[in-house]
Amino acid sequence: MLMSLASSIFLQNWPLYTNLTAMIRFIATTTTVIHHHLRQQIRTFVNARIKWVRDPYLDKAVEKEKNLKPLLSLKNLILSHPSKSLPLRTISPLKPQLNLPTTALKFIQNYPFVFKTFRPPVPLSTLHVKLTPNALSLHNDETLFLSLSHYRKDLAQILAKLLMLTRAKRLPFYVIERFKFDLGLPRDYLLSFLPEFPEYFQICQMGFKDSDGREVFGLELVKWREDLAVSVMEKRVKSEDLGGRKRVHIRFSMNLPRGFDLVKKVRNWVEEWQNLPYISPYEDAFHLAPNSDQAEKWTVGVIHELLSLLVSKKTERENIYCLGDYLGFGIRFRKALVHHPGIFYLSNKIRTHTIVLREGFNKNILVEKHPLMRMRYKYISLMNRVLRRGIPINAGAVRYRKRLTSSLKGGKRKENEKRMRQVKSLET
């Protein structure tokens, strides 16, 4: 009888129970949405100091390109002359423009497998500089590669994607110049490259003047290209179509060096931050509260995409700051680089500060080696060759040998002697 009464009461009040269940579900869903919205609008980054820890592998990746840019600049200057050579006295005053770290003569003498000095067979001639046969052959290979149509089409798309990171689809030339080497643009891209792609680019006035009162010009994308508006991160995951936009929970790769340990409260914040929705860097998300966690994830995504477009997956810190200031990010770029050492690494090698995309490297080796980087590594190989008693040897092996020689005075003598034999084999 009691069971029958209970059943009767339950059936009479079934609509109430149904509404109550729906209400509980509604409250739970609404609470989740409100919490998620607040996470997008508020700042929850913990007030903890994130220490900088040296990464020897990424430092080596940066250091191996020491003096590469000035060397290529000098090479191009020499080859721009009809005789493919230049008097030393012509090169010396150009030291600041070429960014040479020392005098022109000393710089040239440091790389005997790239540059050769000689005196023309005329009376009272001065010292001249030309390329060695090996360097000239490598330059010809590089020129042939840079002229390939598929490479130039890929480069045009990369440059277009850079412009698409801006709201106005355009950038002043002074910003593009900063990234010219890292993008792989020809040194005379204004004349030799841009005219090939009128359907992509047009030169425009930026609408403001420089400090000297001269009109600032820039490069503008002719039209938005939806097929290019896909970030590297989005290509890696299966996207969910939400309201016609690709917005999924994408987590950035985190690679911390040995000895780096985030405090627990920072680790917890990073974990929650990683779970926030990913907003494409090709979207305009300036409507977000600038100090919110969601805005920071979008900012990190913009920097990540920028570095992914570069052939070496790294660039000088000032280049990123310059772009960020022009785009209106201001200090937000600086904060993003500091808050996320597992995504970006700051190297202070080769007399500058370089931002490296960690996921682009396996130790000190590029994961995806761009064909242009293969060319540049061949130049680096020539740079590392020096003459010792008239015999060509590897300069890196010589430096390593000196370190081993000094360490022989300590322990592990047998192990060091074995390494010494390996170094001798490299020198030959």
Side-chain angles (χ1 to χ4, degrees):
M1 185 174 179
L2 289 174
M3 288 294 294
S4 176
L5 180 61
S7 298
S8 177
I9 294 173
F10 180 82
L11 291 173
Q12 291 175 7
N13 293 279
W14 170 249
L16 177 62
Y17 295 142
T18 304
N19 293 337
L20 183 61
T21 302
M23 185 178 295
I24 292 173
R25 288 177 179 171
F26 173 77
I27 293 173
T29 303
T30 304
T31 303
T32 302
V33 171
I34 292 174
H35 173 72
H36 178 69
H37 177 73
L38 288 174
R39 283 280 295 153
Q40 290 183 316
Q41 299 300 322
I42 64 174
R43 181 70 167 175
T44 63
F45 184 78
V46 293
N47 186 20
R49 181 176 178 270
I50 300 179
K51 65 176 182 178
W52 177 82
V53 176
R54 185 178 298 281
D55 189 320
Y57 291 113
L58 294 183
D59 278 344
K60 185 177 180 181
V62 172
E63 200 167 18
K64 73 168 63 173
E65 296 183 31
K66 181 180 180 180
N67 293 336
L68 176 62
K69 286 177 69 174
L71 180 134
L72 294 179
S73 297
L74 178 55
K75 181 228 10 161
N76 292 331
L77 175 66
I78 293 172
L79 293 177
S80 66
H81 197 269
S83 66
K84 308 302 179 186
S85 65
L86 277 178
L88 181 62
R89 65 185 181 187
T90 301
I91 300 173
S92 296
L94 299 176
K95 174 185 172 182
Q97 292 89 330
L98 296 170
N99 198 26
L100 300 181
T102 182
T103 64
L105 178 60
K106 187 173 181 181
F107 184 83
I108 290 165
Q109 291 174 338
N110 284 340
Y111 304 108
F113 282 80
V114 179
F115 303 111
K116 181 179 179 61
T117 57
F118 70 100
R119 292 183 184 274
V122 293
L124 304 176
S125 61
T126 60
L127 200 64
H128 280 57
V129 183
K130 65 180 181 180
L131 296 189
T132 63
N134 285 339
L136 186 58
S137 175
L138 181 53
H139 168 79
N140 292 334
D141 291 342
E142 180 188 17
T143 303
L144 180 63
F145 168 74
L146 294 177
S147 66
L148 295 176
S149 58
H150 68 83
Y151 169 76
R152 298 174 81 82
K153 181 64 178 295
D154 290 345
L155 184 56
Q157 293 184 346
I158 289 173
L159 182 56
K161 288 171 76 74
L162 175 64
L163 297 176
M164 289 168 65
L165 289 177
T166 72
R167 286 175 288 176
K169 307 189 300 296
R170 59 183 183 177
L171 279 172
F173 282 121
Y174 72 80
V175 175
I176 297 175
E177 281 292 319
R178 283 183 168 270
F179 292 97
K180 182 172 70 173
F181 180 81
D182 300 317
L183 288 168
L185 286 170
R187 62 186 184 280
D188 57 346
Y189 71 99
L190 281 171
L191 298 176
S192 66
F193 178 74
L194 294 183
E196 290 183 27
F197 301 95
E199 72 279 16
Y200 276 84
F201 312 112
Q202 63 185 10
I203 295 176
C204 65
Q205 290 184 334
M206 296 304 299
F208 59 90
K209 298 182 179 181
D210 61 16
S211 57
D212 296 326
R214 293 174 296 189
E215 190 72 32
V216 174
F217 288 88
L219 191 64
E220 184 176 32
L221 195 64
V222 172
K223 65 177 181 179
W224 182 265
R225 295 181 173 267
E226 192 64 32
D227 59 316
L228 299 180
V230 182
S231 71
V232 170
M233 297 290 291
E234 289 174 310
K235 289 179 181 178
R236 295 177 188 167
V237 299
K238 183 178 180 180
S239 301
E240 298 175 1
D241 189 1
L242 299 178
R245 296 299 300 174
K246 295 179 178 179
R247 185 160 305 171
V248 294
H249 291 272
I250 298 178
R251 298 171 63 89
F252 291 97
S253 174
M254 300 282 288
N255 302 299
L256 293 170
R258 182 179 300 177
F260 194 106
D261 186 24
L262 291 174
V263 296
K264 184 177 180 180
K265 56 184 178 180
V266 175
R267 286 201 307 270
N268 293 340
W269 177 84
V270 170
E271 183 64 23
E272 291 185 20
W273 179 85
Q274 286 272 37
N275 290 328
L276 288 172
Y278 174 86
I279 300 177
S280 171
Y282 298 105
E283 288 188 44
D284 184 357
F286 276 103
H287 61 277
L288 295 171
N291 291 324
S292 64
D293 292 340
Q294 183 67 76
E296 180 159 305
K297 186 164 185 179
W298 176 59
T299 302
V300 169
V302 173
I303 301 174
H304 183 281
E305 182 70 4
L306 169 66
L307 291 172
S308 298
L309 295 176
L310 309 181
V311 296
S312 63
K313 311 307 176 191
K314 61 184 184 299
T315 190
E316 291 185 20
R317 183 178 63 180
E318 290 305 313
N319 297 343
I320 293 181
Y321 286 175
C322 178
L323 177 63
D325 290 341
Y326 173 76
L327 296 181
F329 283 93
I331 198 172
R332 290 160 62 177
F333 265 23
R334 292 163 172 79
K335 288 183 177 179
L337 294 172
V338 171
H339 290 169
H340 302 280
I343 302 173
F344 311 114
Y345 175 66
L346 172 64
S347 174
N348 57 10
K349 294 294 183 179
I350 61 173
R351 308 182 303 275
T352 187
H353 291 91
T354 305
I355 301 297
V356 184
L357 183 62
R358 284 190 180 275
E359 70 178 45
F361 290 82
N362 179 13
K363 293 186 177 180
N364 65 318
I365 306 297
L366 274 168
V367 175
E368 297 180 5
K369 196 172 292 183
H370 191 279
L372 184 58
M373 288 306 299
R374 296 182 188 276
M375 288 286 180
R376 290 178 179 177
Y377 285 154
K378 290 180 181 180
Y379 282 108
I380 292 172
S381 178
L382 285 181
M383 293 168 66
N384 287 334
R385 305 289 288 180
V386 297
L387 288 172
R388 185 172 182 182
R389 300 189 184 95
I391 301 174
I393 60 173
N394 189 292
V398 173
R399 290 191 295 269
Y400 188 42
R401 178 172 183 165
K402 289 180 179 179
R403 290 199 299 268
L404 286 180
T405 302
S406 61
S407 65
L408 282 174
K409 299 177 182 179
K412 300 183 179 180
R413 184 181 183 89
K414 290 184 178 179
E415 181 181 346
N416 287 333
E417 287 177 344
K418 181 180 178 180
R419 291 182 180 177
M420 183 70 78
R421 289 193 295 271
Q422 293 174 344
V423 171
K424 287 181 179 179
S425 66
L426 288 174
E427 294 178 357
T428 58

